[in-house]
Amino acid sequence: SRYYTVEYRQQYGFDADLGVGNGATAGAVVLHLYAPDPSFNNISYQVDTQPGAGRTGHPVFLPNGGAFQPGQDYADPAHNTYVAVNAFHPASRSATVTVSSTPITPKLTLTGPTSGIARTSVSLSARLTVGGAPVPGQSVRLTAGLRQSCKGKTNASGDVSCRVTLGGTGLMTPRAGTFSGDKAYASAAAAATFAVWSAPSVVPAVQTQTAPAMAATEGTIYEAFRQPGT
């Protein structure tokens, strides 16, 4: 960006308190406003992404107001700048950050089961990523069947799961996930099919073909018999 630089700083030395109170565990990502001014040695200014007064009425301590953790993002549409923090990697002393000149486009992938038993609880799941990196801390709605849906929040790996109770049986029903987006991310969606099966039923002792056993499930009647020699 012509206006910003993005920097990852660790909790060390003068930055020992960086992000404290903002959930920091391995430092923070901070934004700097690029301000070329030879009279000031071309210094930059740290951006306060959460300006204003805190809960006590006092000004927010700047490193906390401008220190990003994974799952937080920033947008300045007027200057075509969209920044999202995806992950910290303490072992390699690095961070994964997505920067774009347009709203960031994530990818939603459905995971988990593709079928379930009618009128039982099932766990739906999905993964939200961008360029292979996780998108944590975002709300995703998952659906199976016609009206069975639930909502969850992505974890540090970009995974989300929630449970629904399936309705009646259907040949194949929709399975979908939707992410509405936020100030930095564009929306994302995914769709597939989901089979809702009848609950298992006990078939009476199998008889001969001329005198079959009868069984009914979900309003459908079946005949069951054993062929000679089987």
Side-chain angles (χ1 to χ4, degrees), residues 71-151:
Q72 296 181 307
D73 50 45
Y74 176 79
D76 182 359
H79 296 119
N80 304 315
T81 303
Y82 301 84
V83 180
V85 181
N86 303 103
F88 287 169
H89 313 289
S92 61
R93 301 181 178 89
S94 62
T96 300
V97 179
T98 302
V99 181
S100 177
S101 59
T102 59
I104 299 167
T105 303
K107 178 182 179 180
L108 185 63
T109 304
L110 297 176
T111 57
T114 59
S115 65
I117 303 298
R119 300 179 181 84
T120 64
S121 176
V122 64
S123 179
L124 306 177
S125 60
R127 176 169 296 165
L128 190 63
T129 58
V130 56
V135 179
Q138 298 289 352
S139 181
V140 174
R141 180 172 292 279
L142 300 173
T143 302
L146 299 178
R147 293 179 293 274
Q148 292 77 42
S149 66
C150 58
K151 184 179 289 187

Side-chain angles (χ1 to χ4, degrees), residues 3 18 24 71 75 84 117 131 148 209:
Y3 299 93
L18 184 61
I117 303 298
Q148 292 77 42
Q209 187 171 0

Side-chain angles (χ1 to χ4, degrees), residues 147-174:
R147 293 179 293 274
Q148 292 77 42
S149 66
C150 58
K151 184 179 289 187
K153 184 167 290 188
T154 54
N155 62 18
S157 300
D159 294 318
V160 58
S161 64
C162 58
R163 300 191 72 85
V164 298
T165 299
L166 299 173
T169 57
L171 182 59
M172 295 297 286
T173 62

